[in-house]
Amino acid sequence: MAHIDLGIDEKQYPGIIGLRMYRPETAKPLYDLADVLLRAPNSLSRGERELIAAYVSSGNECDFCRDSHSAFAAAQLDGGLPLVRDVCVDPEAADISPKLRALLRIAAAARVDGRHVTADLVAAARAESATDLEIHDTVLIAAAFSMFNRYVDGLATLAPEDPKAYEATAVRIVEHGYTV
């Protein structure tokens, strides 16, 4: 049970979904930000951006966000859930592009502390043809998902243990996005 009474059935509305229902006026800008970062036109695919969110959430040990964004990424990437799991465990060995690998290094650094994103990490991403927008959005995805992870876990919201619980939401997110 969450640390506060959300006034809903947490099994039916787990994680940030319950928090959205509890405080819709704060949820709207958060969901709008997620929609822009993960779905707006970009040279990184939606699946790649969801993968960055899943990877950051995995590093932060946020089960709800890791599992939900893993499902959302898997639904949009050719490698599916096995690829997402490989990336979350060891992006250096995963079957991803060198550019995405370089961006994940930036995301990992930003997840820990924004000051850990070094000129060398940015130069390495640029050497793999990452654009300024891709670097910007990677840092912002890492920062935003670190906040989302702390929000969800800081209030001890429910995270379903069965990965299938996230599949229906993945279909909705892929089709309709995050906007409230």
Side-chain angles (χ1 to χ4, degrees):
M1 184 171 162
H3 288 313
I4 61 174
D5 181 5
L6 300 178
I8 48 107
D9 177 357
E10 289 183 67
K11 289 182 181 177
Q12 187 176 359
Y13 303 104
I16 202 165
I17 300 164
L19 296 173
R20 181 180 89 192
M21 296 181 74
Y22 177 75
R23 194 93 198 268
E25 65 276 19
T26 60
K28 182 172 180 2
L30 295 176
Y31 273 68
D32 287 347
L33 176 61
D35 207 61
V36 168
L37 289 175
L38 303 176
R39 296 184 46 81
N42 194 301
S43 49
L44 292 174
S45 74
R46 290 177 175 176
E48 289 170 325
R49 289 176 281 161
E50 289 285 1
L51 183 60
I52 294 168
Y55 175 67
V56 167
S57 298
S58 178
N60 285 331
E61 299 178 7
C62 179
D63 295 346
F64 178 81
C65 295
R66 179 201 58 224
D67 292 347
S68 59
H69 292 280
S70 289
F72 306 164
Q76 299 176 87
L77 293 170
D78 289 338
L81 199 52
L83 173 65
V84 175
R85 288 186 176 142
D86 288 349
V87 167
C88 288
V89 170
D90 184 5
E92 297 301 322
D95 186 20
I96 56 176
S97 72
K99 177 174 84 173
L100 185 55
R101 188 172 291 109
L103 291 171
L104 288 171
R105 288 183 198 120
I106 289 173
R111 181 189 68 76
V112 174
D113 184 325
R115 294 167 291 196
H116 289 192
V117 179
T118 64
D120 288 344
L121 287 171
V122 171
R126 283 189 176 129
E128 297 299 345
S129 74
T131 67
D132 285 351
L133 179 65
E134 292 167 343
I135 293 166
H136 171 277
D137 287 3
T138 295
V139 170
L140 188 50
I141 290 167
F145 274 84
S146 291
M147 177 193 63
F148 293 143
N149 300 159
R150 286 160 181 79
Y151 180 42
V152 166
D153 285 345
L155 289 169
T157 61
L158 179 73
E161 293 181 22
D162 183 359
K164 294 197 183 298
Y166 301 95
E167 291 175 4
T169 304
V171 170
R172 183 181 56 76
I173 293 296
V174 169
E175 291 180 10
H176 303 290
Y178 291 93
T179 54
V180 178

